[in-house]
Every structure is written in C-alpha cells, then in structure tokens.
Amino acid sequence: MIRIFNISFICLISFGIGSIIMAEANNNTPGDTSATIHNNPFFTPSKLPFQAPPFDKIKDSDYKPAIELGMKQQLAEIKKIADNPAPPTFKNTIVALEKSGQLLTRVSLVFNAVTSANTDSVLQKVQQEEAPKLAAHNDAIFLNTKLFERVKSIYGKRSRLKLDHESLRLVSYYYKKFVHAGANLSTAEKTKLKKLNEEEATLAAEFSKKLLAATKAGALVVSNKSELTGLSPAGLDAASQAAASRGLKGKWVIPLQNTTQQPDLQSLQNRKIRKKLFENSWNRCERNDANDTRSVIERIAKIRAEKAKLLGFPNYAAWRLENQMAKTPEAVEKFLAGMVPATIANEQKEAANIQAFIDKSGKHFKLEPWNWNYYAEKLRKARFNLDDSQIRPYFVLDNVLKKGLFYEAHELYGLTFKELHNIPVYQKDVRVFEVYDKDGSPLALFYTDYFKRDNKSGGAWMDNFVGQSKLLGTKPVVYNVTNFTKPAPGQPALLSYDDVTTMFHEFGHALHGMFADEEYPSLSGTNVPRDFVEFPSQFNEHWALYPKILEHYALNYKTGKPMPQKLVEKIKKAANFNQGYDFTEVIEAADLDMAWHTLPASAPLQNADKFETASLKKDHLYIPEVPPRYRSSYFTHIWKWGYAAGYYAYLWSEMLDDDAFDWFLSHGGLTRENGARFRNMILSRGATEDYTKMFRDFTGHNPRIEPMLKYRGLK
C-alpha cells in the first residue's frame, strides 16, 4: 500500500539545511530583552552531538524571535551579495547564497518538526503569524532583481568557469529556482505575486490548524463497550487509554487517522458503528463549523491558478511539474489513465466477490465503503485462512525496529545503531539512536516518534533536524514520525503488517537522508523531486518480507519463536488481495490532486464537494464503494505538505522502486555489494544528477512499468 510521507515543509527561504558556526546574535529583535536574546538556544549552534536540537532548553517563546531575527539576518546577507561591487563569481554569489540564512534554517527545521508532531496553541499562533512573513521573505530573495542579475550572469557563462559537476548543478539549480519563482516578471507582476504568495501561506497555516482540530473532534466516542465488539483486547485498551487522555471517564475513543478509511473498520462487528466511524472520518472537515476547511481549499486552488497564469503557465500543475521527472500534466494524466482500466476491472471483481460473500452470510445489503474492509478481512480469512490477529503477535514494534530495520541496514550497508539516552527530545515517547557507518565512524543521528497523539498531524513522515553538507561541515540528524496506536502501560506495541510496511517505508527515507554525501546543502539528501523522493522509501518496503530479514524480526512476543513458514506463505499469497481497492483509492486521490491543479485562472471559485464528484466522474473514477484515500477537504498532502500536483509521485516512484527491486533479485538480493551499489548510485547522490540517468545507470535501462503491475497483481 502506498505510504504517506512528508518531507516536512522546510521553510521556503532556507537555502542550506545544515547549521554553521555563527556569532551570537545581537539583541536587536523588536520586543526582546537582551536576557531573552542571550538565552535563546537557537541563536548559537547546538553543542550537542551532530548539533542536535537542545530540546531541554527550547521553549515555545523561543521560536518567534529566532524566526524573525533569522529573516532579518538573511536579508542582510542577501543585500550584501546583491550589492557586492565585485563582478559576480561562483564563490561570491552562489556559494554565498548557500551559506546564507543559517539561523533561520536552524529554527525552521525544528519548528516544522514540533508543529507537525507536538504542537500546541502557542505554536499554532506563531505558525499563523509567521507564515505570511516567511512567504514575503522568500519573495524578497527570489524576486530580488539585482541578485537575479548576478545569478543569471554566472549561469550564462557556466561552461567557461571550469566548475566541478556538482557546482555546475548548483548554478543551474539557482538559476532555474529564481526563474521558476518569478524573477523575470515585471515590477507590477512581482507585487501581485507577492500578495498571492502571502495569502496562500496564511491559508495553508489556517488549513493546518483547522484540520488538526477537526481530526481530534471527529474521533469516535462510545459509551457502551459492547459497541466495539470485534476489537482486540489491545485495541480496547488503547481506546480506553485514548478516552482517559481526554478526561472521558467510562468511555472509549477511537481517534481518526488521516486517511478516509480507518484501521478499525476491518474489525468492528457493529455495522452502525462502522458507518458512524466512517462518516466521522469522511465528514471531519465538512460540518459547517469553525473547523470546516472547504472555503480555505477553494481559495487556495484559485490563488494557485492565478499564480500560474502570472508566471506564464496554463495552470498550476504545468508550473509545478516543470522541474519534476514527469515534466508535464499531460504526462501524469497519461500515466494515471494507463493504469485505470486494469485497476477498475480488478476492483469490480473484488466488489462482486465481497457482495457475494455478504449475501452468502444471509445478510442482504448493498456494499458500502464502511463495510468493504470488514468483509474483505473476512473474505481474506476464508480464502487464505489468515487474519490480522494471527499476524500481530509476531510484529512487536521494538523487534521490527532493531531486528528488522537496523538489521536490514547492517546487512545491506554495514550500519550499526546505538540508542542514546542523553540527547533531549521534544516528547517522552521519542527515542534517539546514533548511527555508525560500515567503518565504525559516526554517520548520523536517528530519532523515532511512533505513537499517535491528539496534537500530532496524521500520517507518517521523515525529515531532518540538521542536514548534511560538506560546505557547512554538518552531518544528518533525521527523524521518522508515525501514528501507531500506543499500547496500554505494560503491554507490547503489536503492529499490523501495514504498520510494519510503514516503518520500512519511512526508514527508507531516513537512509536516503543519512547517506547524503554532497558539498552543497541545496542538493543534499532528500532534496529531490517529489516523483523521485518516494523511490528509496518504497524500495525499502520490499525488505519487510524478504526471508532473511523477516525471520530475524518476526518473533512471537510471548514465545520468542519465529513466524511459522506456513503463516509467512499465507501472507505472501494474500499480498495481492484487495489490491484493486487499494490501487483505486490512491489513483482517485492522485486524479483529484491533478483536477484541482489543472484549473485555469479563468475558472470560477469551485464548490469543493461538487468539484470533487464531477472530477472523479469525468475520469471514470467515481466509485461509491471506494472513496478516495483522501477527500479534498482533508487532503493535507496537497494543501500543506508540498505535494500539490504531486500526489501521483507515489505511483511514479513505485514504478521505479519495483523495477529496481527486480534488479536486486536478479543480482543476488540482500548482499553488501548490492547495497553499496544502491547507496553509491542512488541514495548518496541527492540532486547532483539527472534522475532518469541516475536510474538508468543503476539498472541498465529506463524505468519500466511492468514490474509494478506484476507486484500489484494487475498483470
């Protein structure tokens, strides 16, 4: 199943991702005393290993002054570059840009992390206040005419500068980034663009706040335990704990995940309760209350279309895809359309089988979305003699982490991990590991934050606290965040196979970040196009069922014995079960994303619900029993997480990862030699090479769709 990933919105204005030594800030931030300035932990680089954030010293009140002073400092640095009387050179312009804004980068990376994973009302207020200022700051850099003239001058003579390959890539990166941002616009057009950017940033922060509140309010609350019949004892305990954390005595709470379908829908026996849970999810942001997001997203879509027109593009998707692998909306639409017939045919067969199963049980009702997963699970059990309760005892979170992910990283890449208890964290469930390379040298820090909280955004993602850069002398500090159900005290965290795959997915992103080996922060690690960034993560999912790895981590939490081979075979046989459904809901979401972002500026403000239905019907994807994985009103990927006109990237990258894994299987599978090749040719290259060439150099051919169709059971 496609996983959710967020390369968390790293402040638009941040050039570098690492921190560098800088002088302590002057106390010239409005409204701050010298004592506050002196004590702000962001104003000097952290003295912790790898410059890890000093969370034991960081207070909510530190973020705003650090962000604002960071912007002020960077604008002073930019002015110095733009006004430099010396002729523009690679060093005094391009490298200077790479080194600018280090305070702002340092605070932004931490601020983005906590506002996504551990927010509160103070942080949300700062986020809303600073969002338009940060957008304006971004424009002050990329719409700076004098600065652009220097960049353009260097770009024009780049072939004569005798630069190394990565430096040439950086010159092209900056020139294209300035042009893409609107550097060639007239003064009047730039003024209009700045206003649109500020409004969009403000609305994105508003959307984020509303969605978090709506998701919390949409949780299913029940007073009668019998209504939750079908949940496992661990599931009931978790529901009880969730209620207790909200101060709801004698009740049970099932919090919402960010997707349309909810995990417990496959277990709950009460059809009315299933319907209520589904509707809570489906309507979370459409209750005509303070948390309704529809007017916000309708305006964001309109703003984006207007921006695209201003920048000379027919729609936002055309502008956004210019620097992606796919290049054009037409290429994406052709890619998606090519998968629709086989996917829908598969889904219709599955629907017919589930409807027949319902009828055979003596219950005669039409298949609805809140019934699909419940009866699909029953059908899977009947067909393969397999259900989730058989699997979970073998998937203990700590085993999956240490004996699964870490073992895979050792076998493929030679990495070792040591848990640290002296590094401060932002929440008590967060853990920290030091990562050592194959030669024993320190490589990175790795943080994990696996359990759901009401103040955490839904989904799962990876990001950096500190990025890798040889120029800045920094090594990666990366983290993984998920939303697994926290077990009751004293109980082990038992995962579904879906959860296990999520862990392998996000760890694939983490490895991509850890293996970054670039000179320049802008080209480092996961700073690659959306339709390439999911390649390493989805590739890593394949190792979850690889025999040597599975037998190492899939151990029964009571007996310590490995998963029986018969159960393993059942999981493998059932791997393509329900794939028509799974693939359909993802294609629907990708289609919705493209529909919103191919609207021309001349289109009127849309009605979100009518637009959503009409778009799906137009592309033959309106299937009542299979709703999109994300409804427009809570599609956080495209309204907040930077995946606008980019949700197709999960499917595009799946094509790449399945093809690459086929290469592994035909060359010996899990070997240190293969791991070194993948690390050297893919994971460590960042944005230093053309992505199609990078893939072709690794596999020996251009990307092929056939392996993906094979793994999905569609061919």
Side-chain angles (χ1 to χ4, degrees):
M1 186 180 289
I2 299 295
R3 299 289 155 218
I4 301 157
F5 163 61
N6 170 33
I7 303 180
S8 208
F9 175 69
I10 297 175
C11 188
L12 285 172
I13 41 61
S14 297
F15 289 105
I17 299 200
S19 300
I20 58 173
I21 303 297
M22 60 181 290
E24 185 171 324
N26 296 320
N27 62 339
N28 54 2
T29 302
D32 284 317
T33 66
S34 60
T36 303
I37 293 294
H38 181 75
N39 293 327
N40 192 309
F42 289 113
F43 289 165
T44 55
S46 169
K47 295 179 180 179
L48 292 171
F50 295 82
Q51 298 185 22
F55 284 111
D56 57 335
K57 295 182 173 65
I58 297 171
K59 305 182 296 295
D60 280 1
S61 58
D62 293 325
Y63 291 104
K64 184 180 176 69
I67 291 170
E68 297 202 341
L69 183 59
M71 287 190 285
K72 184 175 182 179
Q73 285 187 349
Q74 188 173 30
L75 287 181
E77 293 163 346
I78 294 300
K79 187 176 189 304
K80 185 176 180 181
I81 298 168
D83 292 345
N84 190 343
T89 66
F90 177 73
K91 185 176 180 179
N92 72 18
T93 301
I94 304 299
V95 174
L97 281 171
E98 279 294 272
K99 289 182 176 180
S100 73
Q102 291 309 304
L103 169 57
L104 187 55
T105 296
R106 186 160 55 242
V107 63
S108 295
L109 289 170
V110 179
F111 184 67
N112 291 331
V114 295
T115 52
S116 293
N118 203 48
T119 196
D120 57 37
S121 59
V122 174
L123 295 178
Q124 288 178 329
K125 183 179 180 182
V126 173
Q127 192 174 33
Q128 288 187 292
E129 290 175 347
E130 297 304 312
K133 296 178 185 178
L134 289 167
H137 181 80
N138 186 63
D139 287 338
I141 296 169
F142 289 104
L143 300 182
N144 183 314
T145 302
K146 291 172 69 176
L147 181 61
F148 177 56
E149 288 303 316
R150 294 181 70 87
V151 172
K152 184 164 66 171
S153 171
I154 296 165
Y155 180 76
K157 59 185 178 183
R158 64 192 183 284
S159 61
R160 305 191 300 274
L161 297 180
K162 297 181 180 179
L163 298 174
D164 61 81
H165 179 74
E166 186 178 341
S167 297
L168 279 172
R169 288 282 294 187
L170 187 68
V171 171
S172 294
Y173 165 84
Y174 269 114
Y175 175 74
K176 292 175 182 177
K177 191 172 179 71
F178 272 86
V179 172
H180 196 68
N184 282 323
L185 297 178
S186 68
T187 300
E189 289 170 331
K190 286 179 180 178
T191 299
K192 184 176 180 181
L193 180 62
K194 288 175 183 178
K195 290 181 180 179
L196 291 171
N197 284 339
E198 287 185 40
E199 185 182 0
E200 182 184 358
T202 301
L203 290 172
E206 184 180 348
F207 171 82
S208 180
K209 182 180 179 180
K210 286 175 177 285
L211 176 58
L212 187 67
T215 301
K216 180 179 179 180
L220 177 69
V221 181
V222 300
S223 303
N224 188 339
K225 186 178 179 180
S226 66
E227 291 182 323
L228 300 181
T229 299
L231 289 190
S232 66
L236 287 169
D237 284 343
S240 178
Q241 288 292 315
S245 70
R246 297 183 180 208
L248 299 175
K249 275 191 169 185
K251 296 184 184 297
W252 290 261
V253 170
I254 298 179
L256 295 181
Q257 302 283 0
N258 66 322
T259 51
T260 297
Q261 290 287 8
Q262 300 298 303
D264 289 327
L265 286 170
Q266 72 175 25
S267 304
L268 292 167
Q269 293 180 11
N270 187 314
R271 184 151 47 105
K272 290 182 179 179
I273 289 296
R274 289 200 303 272
K275 182 179 180 181
K276 186 175 180 182
L277 176 57
F278 175 85
E279 290 180 340
N280 280 16
S281 173
W282 184 245
N283 297 314
R284 72 185 78 175
C285 293
E286 303 200 1
R287 298 184 174 185
N288 296 309
D289 59 7
N291 300 326
D292 196 307
T293 63
R294 285 173 289 185
S295 63
V296 175
I297 66 170
E298 290 161 4
R299 178 57 188 158
I300 290 176
K302 182 67 174 173
I303 288 171
R304 289 175 176 173
E306 291 174 359
K307 283 170 56 176
K309 182 181 179 181
L310 198 58
L311 290 161
F313 291 83
N315 52 61
Y316 186 83
W319 173 78
R320 192 60 185 264
L321 291 168
E322 187 182 36
N323 57 7
Q324 303 293 301
M325 284 187 75
K327 302 296 184 188
T328 67
E330 292 76 20
V332 173
E333 289 165 353
K334 183 178 179 181
F335 172 69
L336 294 175
M339 293 183 286
V340 168
T343 300
I344 299 304
N346 213 15
E347 179 275 329
Q348 290 175 346
K349 289 178 184 176
E350 292 171 359
N353 289 336
I354 293 173
Q355 185 66 62
F357 188 87
I358 292 172
D359 295 341
K360 189 176 179 181
S361 71
K363 298 178 180 179
H364 300 286
F365 54 83
K366 186 175 180 290
L367 176 61
E368 300 284 1
W370 51 87
N371 295 320
W372 185 296
N373 286 340
Y374 179 74
Y375 283 97
E377 180 65 13
K378 281 184 169 295
L379 184 57
R380 182 173 71 153
K381 183 177 181 180
R383 185 174 294 176
F384 302 104
N385 192 24
L386 176 69
D387 64 31
D388 194 52
S389 64
Q390 294 173 271
I391 297 171
R392 283 183 182 269
Y394 292 93
F395 292 148
V396 182
L397 189 152
D398 206 51
N399 282 345
V400 177
L401 176 65
K402 295 179 178 178
K403 297 182 178 182
L405 307 184
F406 293 174
Y407 178 69
E408 169 229 325
H410 178 267
E411 294 302 290
L412 278 174
Y413 311 112
L415 304 188
T416 54
F417 299 76
K418 178 185 177 182
E419 187 160 11
L420 303 180
H421 300 283
N422 60 343
I423 301 292
V425 294
Y426 58 84
Q427 203 275 342
K428 63 182 180 179
D429 290 333
V430 178
R431 301 167 71 179
V432 186
F433 299 85
E434 185 164 6
V435 187
Y436 300 92
D437 211 340
K438 58 182 181 292
D439 61 359
S441 62
L443 179 69
L445 283 187
F446 175 53
Y447 291 60
T448 66
D449 181 4
Y450 286 130
F451 298 123
K452 182 171 179 57
R453 296 183 292 274
D454 281 340
N455 67 341
K456 180 192 280 191
S457 295
W461 60 93
M462 164 269 175
D463 205 346
N464 284 64
F465 286 128
V466 179
Q468 178 275 336
S469 168
K470 294 175 185 176
L471 176 70
L472 306 179
T474 54
K475 292 185 177 182
V477 179
V478 304
Y479 58 89
N480 279 174
V481 181
T482 64
N483 273 276
F484 301 149
T485 299
K486 188 173 182 179
Q491 297 298 313
L494 302 180
L495 306 179
S496 67
Y497 179 63
D498 201 42
D499 295 334
V500 171
T501 310
T502 297
M503 285 183 68
F504 273 84
H505 177 103
E506 298 307 332
F507 190 62
H509 284 305
L511 290 171
H512 196 185
M514 291 176 196
F515 287 145
D517 191 30
E518 280 67 57
E519 180 75 13
Y520 305 112
S522 291
L523 305 180
S524 179
T526 55
N527 288 329
V528 298
R530 292 294 185 196
D531 51 12
F532 190 83
V533 79
E534 297 297 335
F535 167 27
S537 57
Q538 294 183 162
F539 167 82
N540 207 61
E541 292 180 24
H542 286 281
W543 300 113
L545 274 182
Y546 195 81
K548 186 178 180 181
I549 295 172
L550 181 67
E551 67 188 20
H552 198 258
Y553 76 85
L555 307 173
N556 189 286
Y557 79 101
K558 290 181 179 178
T559 67
K561 293 182 179 180
M563 181 179 286
Q565 190 57 36
K566 286 185 178 180
L567 184 54
V568 174
E569 292 305 318
K570 288 179 184 179
I571 294 173
K572 290 181 177 179
K573 287 180 181 177
N576 287 328
F577 180 75
N578 214 40
Q579 283 296 298
Y581 181 97
D582 292 342
F583 217 28
T584 298
E585 64 169 1
V586 173
I587 291 176
E588 287 171 336
D591 185 80
L592 271 181
D593 171 30
M594 292 304 294
W596 278 110
H597 293 111
T598 50
L599 284 168
S602 59
L605 195 70
Q606 301 296 313
N607 174 293
D609 293 338
K610 290 181 179 179
F611 178 79
E612 179 171 290
T613 301
S615 298
L616 292 172
K617 284 183 175 178
K618 178 178 70 70
D619 294 326
H620 310 290
L621 286 167
Y622 182 73
I623 305 167
E625 70 271 16
V626 186
R629 185 169 174 83
Y630 306 98
R631 195 176 193 181
S632 298
S633 55
Y634 51 85
F635 203 165
T636 189
H637 285 73
I638 66 173
W639 306 122
K640 175 194 173 188
W641 281 356
Y643 276 76
Y647 192 74
Y648 78 92
Y650 287 99
L651 298 170
W652 188 281
S653 295
E654 187 174 347
M655 171 179 65
L656 303 179
D657 85 73
D658 287 341
D659 201 355
F661 190 69
D662 256 17
W663 182 94
F664 262 77
L665 293 182
S666 64
H667 289 78
L670 185 79
T671 69
R672 189 67 62 81
E673 182 182 6
N674 287 344
R677 178 182 170 89
F678 194 63
R679 173 180 178 172
N680 294 337
M681 300 180 75
I682 301 291
L683 297 179
S684 65
R685 299 301 303 278
T688 62
E689 186 59 85
D690 175 80
Y691 306 102
T692 301
K693 181 181 184 301
M694 199 186 299
F695 183 88
R696 186 171 56 244
D697 288 347
F698 177 77
T699 62
H701 56 255
N702 285 329
R704 304 172 304 175
I705 199 171
E706 288 77 14
M708 180 175 75
L709 298 178
K710 177 186 73 175
Y711 283 112
R712 281 282 185 171
L714 297 176
K715 184 177 181 180

